[in-house]
Amino acid sequence: AQTVTQSQPEMSVQEAETVTLSCTYDTSENNYYLFWYKQPPSRQMILVIRQEAYKQQNATENRFSVNFQKAAKSFSLKISDSQLGDTAMYFCASPNQAGTALIFGKGTTLSVSS
Amino acid sequence: GAGVSQTPSNKVTEKGKYVELRCDPISGHTALYWYRQSLGQGPEFLIYFQGTGAADDSGLPNDRFFAVRPEGSVSTLKIQRTERGDSAVYLCASSLKRGNEQFFGPGTRLTVL
């Protein structure tokens, strides 16, 4: 079965600092997307960033960027200049083999303090 | 109404009762997904609809769970003879088509007493 592994259950960082959340995944596909979602206490899952596996360039969205290592099947999320509003649970996700669902990791709880 | 909506936001029921959870996807999204999220875990796939048909229901845990999407828009997840272990947040998501990024609703928190 395909798996997505997030090895850091909790992370803490102070405002303005940079933090990296790790994720490894398992797939036999060549072309696929990878996603990071944010889930604040409101429960709403919000897409943070996505990476297309056939693109070598790492995706960037404002303060959020990824370090995508296809051969190692690693997909980490870097948050620069952390803000209090970044406090949330972060989930890494990859599609299942059929492309009919996302497989999520167990999540990393990120706390940003002032 | 740009986003995915789900009703009710919270549902409390007794063991053995029947419940229905509703999802209204983003207009024009042909793909619709249901997930279940237990406390402290990531969402787990239940079922995927392409249009009106359930294209993948491999995530449904047993035959007490059923979902429909009769007109290719709104979907209802139905749970019969609820058990305490069914307590979780049920998330619905939609995407323009299969494989695109999924947009999630706020979820329904189901509590079975």
Side-chain angles (χ1 to χ4, degrees):
Chain A
Q2 284 179 263
T3 56
V4 175
T5 303
Q6 293 180 251
S7 58
Q8 305 150 313
E10 295 180 358
M11 297 277 284
S12 295
V13 69
Q14 293 204 314
E15 270 185 303
E17 290 183 344
T18 294
V19 63
T20 299
L21 309 183
S22 65
C23 172
T24 58
Y25 62 94
D26 176 20
T27 181
S28 56
E29 298 297 305
N30 271 326
N31 294 322
Y32 50 91
Y33 289 99
L34 295 166
F35 305 93
W36 277 98
Y37 281 87
K38 168 186 176 180
Q39 188 177 41
S42 67
R43 220 165 59 199
Q44 180 79 51
M45 293 280 280
I46 302 163
L47 180 67
V48 174
I49 197 166
R50 75 171 195 177
Q51 173 76 42
E52 296 169 75
Y54 66 87
K55 287 188 176 178
Q56 291 188 337
Q57 188 174 5
N58 289 325
T60 300
E61 285 287 340
N62 300 314
R63 297 182 296 108
F64 300 88
S65 61
V66 301
N67 182 3
F68 174 51
Q69 303 289 329
K70 189 173 182 180
K73 295 183 180 174
S74 168
F75 179 58
S76 60
L77 174 69
K78 185 170 88 170
I79 306 174
S80 303
D81 187 26
S82 297
Q83 300 176 359
L84 294 177
D86 295 335
T87 294
M89 200 148 180
Y90 287 80
F91 293 98
C92 176
S94 77
N96 65 0
Q97 193 160 359
T100 55
L102 289 177
I103 299 171
F104 288 84
K106 290 190 174 182
T108 296
T109 300
L110 176 66
S111 299
V112 181
S113 57
S114 56
Chain B
V4 178
S5 61
Q6 292 186 245
T7 54
S9 57
N10 289 283
K11 176 71 177 177
V12 180
T13 191
E14 293 181 344
K15 181 174 177 292
K17 300 289 188 183
Y18 167 82
V19 295
E20 289 189 352
L21 311 179
R22 176 189 166 108
C23 172
D24 206 334
I26 293 172
S27 178
H29 281 193
T30 59
L32 185 146
Y33 315 79
W34 283 98
Y35 294 86
R36 179 167 71 173
Q37 185 177 23
S38 300
L39 192 63
Q41 302 293 316
E44 293 180 331
F45 169 70
L46 294 175
I47 187 169
Y48 156 67
F49 286 90
Q50 181 57 47
T52 60
D56 183 353
D57 64 357
S58 61
L60 294 177
N62 51 59
D63 60 7
R64 295 187 298 105
F65 289 74
F66 189 70
V68 295
R69 194 186 185 198
E71 297 178 358
S73 178
V74 171
S75 176
T76 305
L77 178 66
K78 308 180 181 195
I79 310 174
Q80 298 178 319
R81 304 184 303 280
T82 51
E83 298 178 357
R84 292 197 180 90
D86 298 336
S87 297
V89 173
Y90 289 81
L91 295 168
C92 176
S94 70
S95 65
L96 197 56
K97 57 181 182 178
R98 181 171 66 94
N100 284 27
E101 57 258 43
Q102 297 179 19
F103 296 87
F104 283 80
T108 294
R109 181 179 299 279
L110 175 66
T111 303
V112 182
L113 301 176

